[in-house]
Amino acid sequence: MFQKKIGIYSLTLAMAAMGVTGCSSDGSGSSFENAASSLTEAAAQPDGQTDSESLSAASEKKNEVIAVVNSEPSAGWNPVTGYGQRYDPILQSTLTKAYGGEITNDLATGYEISEDGKEWTFTIRDDAYYSNGEKVTASDVAFTYEAVRDNSTSLDLSNIASAEAPDDTTVIFHLNEPDYTFLYVTYKVGIVPEKGYDENYGENPVGSGPFKMVQWEKGQQCVWEYNEYYYGNEPEIKRIVLLFMDDDSAFLAAQKGDVDIIFTNQNLAVQQIDGYHMENVETIDNYGIIFPTTLDEGKTSEDGRAIGNDVTGDPAVRKALSVGLDRDALINDVFNGYGKKSFSMCDTMPWFNEETALNESNSGKDVAVKILEEAGWTDHDGDGIRDKDGVDAQFTLLYTSSNANRQAMAMAVAEQAKELGITVTPEGASNDDITKRVYSTPYVFGRGDYTPNEFYLMTSTNTIGSGWSNTGYYSNPTVDDYMKKAMASKKIEDVYKYYKLAQWDGETGASLIGDAPDCWLVRADHCYFVRDGLNIGDQPVQPHCANGQVILSNICDWKWE
Amino acid sequence: MKNMRKHGILNRRTLTLIIIALSVIIILAVTAAGFIMDEELYAPHFAEKNLPPSGHHLFGTDWMGRDMFARTVKGLSVSIYIGLLASCATSVIALFLGVIAGTFGKYASGIFNWFVDIFMGIPHLILLILISLLLGKGAKGVAIGVIVTHWCSLGRIVQAEVLALKDSQFVKASEKLGKTKLWIAFHHIMPHVVPQFIVGLILMFPHAIMHESSITFLGFGLPAEQPAIGIILSEAMKHLTTGMWWLAVMPGISLLIIVVLFEAIGSHLRMLLDPYSAQE
């Protein structure tokens, strides 16, 4: 009996101990212990200084920044396997940049498109060198794009038939299909040197960006220093220490004053830290609900996943939720006010159709109820839930259970939907489990980038069933036609024009006042605690980025004041 | 008689009975309250989020404005329910296997011991996580995980008891009278094992409850929207940094109290049932 007692109490103690050391359930960050050790190691500088004074001493020199982000790229700092596709890779340079959606030259000095739209000729600058002193040549660019096409799973470059470099500063891309929106992939690919590239590149990246990597301890920290061969303006910040921690550890590190800038979540953002201020950056990091748009006809996909949902397969239900959910309340309740209303994948971008933004006359509970009643969704059997043809207006809403924002979003949507007479049942699951059910069950999702391709991926008939793109089996020939025209447009203004029409042409479209294949609700601000005196420049609207590294995109403009 | 006077009006036996009764009532009340509770009581009310404990919200509210007292009670009742179910099932396995191993000679007890060694050799928690994952998590995964892993020690106790009984006179006599081993097992041995078994069963509840909470805490158990105590504690972890202590402390203490109550029932029941202490 005594032993049993011991057993029970030690179990209780073990629980308590788990509580203290804190295993992060989402698995994204390091534990407190890890964080602590990475901090001490951050203090251990290459020249052997180990005391914490060296930290503040380094900061006093005003050319070093210690930044905390959530995680490192799992496959290393290699653009070929996906690094830097969502934010400026810094270690490598790209042909163009797209801060805020406007494309500007970086490595490229200009481009020409052939008459048929299938041949893109880029000229690149002559004065670009890698951090090892080697020259950046056009054949490196051709090599990189072909390697990304063949290796990357997150960026689809299958339209590139081949890339060639007739001389050192000219690179020609031959496309399979004409695509005038090809420009929007050129900011996503960091250039790697053809000579010396191998599968271990991600561990020892050599690039032509403003910084080079000098040290990387996996899971703990990464040290970058200024690349003196960089062709652009010399930044004031010469050294960056990136620490990898989860939100809680990062917050504690900032409270101790050990770091200069941390990425944090909207729950911690309402706190105050002495010596730091909050910078919340506007984003196109859209949060919303992705709907199955077809009815359940018993079909399954090739890999056996059920397709369709009898409730959200009705556009009236999707539209009613899109216009009826109170976005202001969601911003306050879920994101503590750190967010903006979201109406599509395209908000704030030059190709956003302003007509699809909701205003007081076409949104709200009354409008939603009217849409539902007109479509025949009324409470026939008096159980408080609307129904139509014997089907109750109820569905399960999946969310990633490790993500507190998405959970709160699902719960808040369920509460609001109740008032519309629709029963929404939130259900937490891992992303793997959600993937198995995406074709038949609505889910909470976050997405957004500087390219109209995002809108294409979510709404084109061609992208049905590819990864997280168009999981709703949405298909509208008119929308497809507009997007085809956009890709065949020779002027960027026409690309914008046709993408606007694809959203809403007055009669139909893939926006929330059209078919509403998805319901975007909030653009969540990215929140950072920044040490007073650190100027992080003008931050453009940021794309969806889970780990916060996107803040470094304009590192060359940062300075200590 | 003198000894009894020292304890005041209540003699030890009455006191024991009262403790058991009180514990049972509290546990039953929590379980029942959880079952009949209206979902609205622990639904999110975003207007009242992150409130510290007060008269209105006894245990405070969390980051979605859910009342933590209601959630804790609901969570405890879910845990108790799964714990009871799993303990009962696993005890039956333990009783059955233990009796068979004790009664049917060398080979039966050899195989039994081999199984027990295997299950005891692997840490409970790891085995539980594996089984729960294989069965797709959720209440089913947790319950079956606990059932499959927890019968060993109780099974050993039952087996030892049976082995001791086997040499007793009445069993020998029964054998000489030509009764089958199975008949003896059910008519002579089972009744003697029952008191040990009942106490073992009750002492297993807290184990099962703690293990259910532990693997749910680690993310391998019940789903996140379920108000289970493991979920509550793991969510609370994310908010300790901001000083919202009540999210972890109040439900944690509540869980501890329930575990201690079960422990009290078990050990006091043993006092009553055990022939050596029953007459004290």
Side-chain angles (χ1 to χ4, degrees), chain A residues 281-546:
Chain A
V281 183
E282 189 177 343
T283 68
I284 42 165
D285 192 352
N286 296 289
Y287 279 77
I289 306 168
I290 313 289
F291 295 116
T293 62
T294 56
L295 293 172
D296 182 5
E297 291 159 344
K299 286 191 214 154
T300 54
S301 64
E302 276 173 22
D303 51 5
R305 291 183 266 178
I307 298 171
N309 183 309
D310 280 338
V311 178
T312 66
D314 186 335
V317 173
R318 305 197 299 266
K319 239 194 266 189
L321 285 169
S322 294
V323 302
L325 293 176
D326 183 349
R327 288 170 172 75
D328 283 321
L330 289 172
I331 292 168
N332 280 321
D333 294 345
V334 180
F335 296 96
N336 286 324
Y338 292 108
K340 311 273 180 300
K341 292 185 199 180
S342 169
F343 306 110
S344 74
M345 297 287 291
C346 314
D347 293 29
T348 75
M349 293 293 122
W351 51 89
F352 175 51
N353 187 337
E354 307 275 350
E355 281 177 58
T356 66
L358 295 177
N359 52 44
E360 275 177 20
S361 66
N362 63 1
S363 69
K365 196 181 153 191
D366 298 339
V367 182
V369 168
K370 200 169 148 225
I371 293 173
L372 288 170
E373 307 250 307
E374 276 172 8
W377 291 95
T378 42
D379 189 5
H380 296 99
D381 51 10
D383 60 354
I385 307 168
R386 291 175 191 278
D387 51 277
K388 179 183 173 183
D389 305 334
V391 179
D392 275 338
Q394 57 183 2
F395 59 83
T396 301
L397 179 59
L398 296 170
Y399 63 89
T400 313
S401 48
S402 55
N403 188 317
N405 278 344
R406 292 188 191 186
Q407 181 182 11
M409 178 82 127
M411 298 279 193
V413 164
E415 289 294 307
Q416 289 194 16
K418 211 185 282 171
E419 289 170 27
L420 302 177
I422 300 173
T423 301
V424 175
T425 317
E427 183 184 328
S430 67
N431 274 343
D432 285 344
D433 289 336
I434 292 177
T435 312
K436 292 174 192 151
R437 295 163 66 186
V438 283
Y439 300 153
S440 60
T441 318
Y443 58 97
V444 177
F445 203 51
R447 186 159 182 161
D449 204 347
Y450 296 144
T451 157
N453 289 339
E454 288 286 300
F455 180 77
Y456 174 84
L457 289 170
M458 297 303 280
T459 54
S460 165
T461 309
N462 297 331
T463 58
I464 285 176
S466 63
W468 290 104
S469 302
N470 199 353
T471 55
Y473 275 65
Y474 174 70
S475 179
N476 180 339
T478 316
V479 173
D480 282 340
D481 195 46
Y482 283 130
M483 292 196 290
K484 211 171 162 190
K485 280 183 184 151
M487 290 172 143
S489 305
K490 288 170 193 167
K491 280 189 300 192
I492 202 77
E493 290 76 21
D494 289 338
V495 172
Y496 296 165
K497 186 181 89 186
Y498 283 116
Y499 267 108
K500 285 180 184 175
L501 288 170
Q503 290 159 55
W504 182 245
D505 66 357
E507 281 170 25
T508 185
S511 62
L512 52 79
I513 55 171
D515 296 328
D518 31 38
C519 165
W520 297 107
L521 296 165
V522 178
R523 293 184 284 124
D525 287 353
H526 287 165
C527 300
Y528 304 85
F529 279 108
V530 182
R531 194 192 287 279
D532 294 339
L534 179 62
N535 181 341
I536 59 170
D538 287 332
Q539 288 286 341
V541 171
Q542 293 185 350
H544 175 75
C545 167

Side-chain angles (χ1 to χ4, degrees), chain A residues 59-71:
Chain A
S59 303
E60 272 162 29
K61 273 188 271 163
K62 305 289 186 199
N63 61 5
E64 183 188 67
V65 165
I66 302 173
V68 181
V69 296
N70 279 163
S71 59

Side-chain angles (χ1 to χ4, degrees), chain A residues 248-259 262 271-274 276, chain B residues 241-242:
Chain A
D248 286 330
S249 314
F251 185 79
L252 293 176
Q255 271 185 331
K256 277 174 71 187
D258 286 341
V259 294
I262 68 166
Q271 304 285 319
Q272 304 278 340
I273 305 180
D274 282 344
Y276 291 79
Chain B
T241 349
T242 50

Side-chain angles (χ1 to χ4, degrees), chain B residues 70-86:
Chain B
R71 273 190 96 209
T72 303
V73 171
K74 178 76 186 172
L76 285 173
S77 96
V78 169
S79 295
I80 293 173
Y81 176 68
I82 292 177
L84 284 181
L85 195 83

Side-chain angles (χ1 to χ4, degrees), chain A residues 5 12 19 248 333 336 428, chain B residues 46 49 225 237 241-242 256 263:
Chain A
K5 234 178 183 169
T12 320
D248 286 330
D333 294 345
N336 286 324
Chain B
F46 287 95
K49 59 184 179 184
E225 62 279 352
M237 289 304 309
T241 349
T242 50
L256 193 69
E263 172 80 18

Side-chain angles (χ1 to χ4, degrees), chain B residues 81-101:
Chain B
Y81 176 68
I82 292 177
L84 284 181
L85 195 83
S87 308
C88 291
T90 199
S91 305
V92 170
I93 295 178
L95 182 64
F96 187 70
L97 292 181
V99 169
I100 288 192

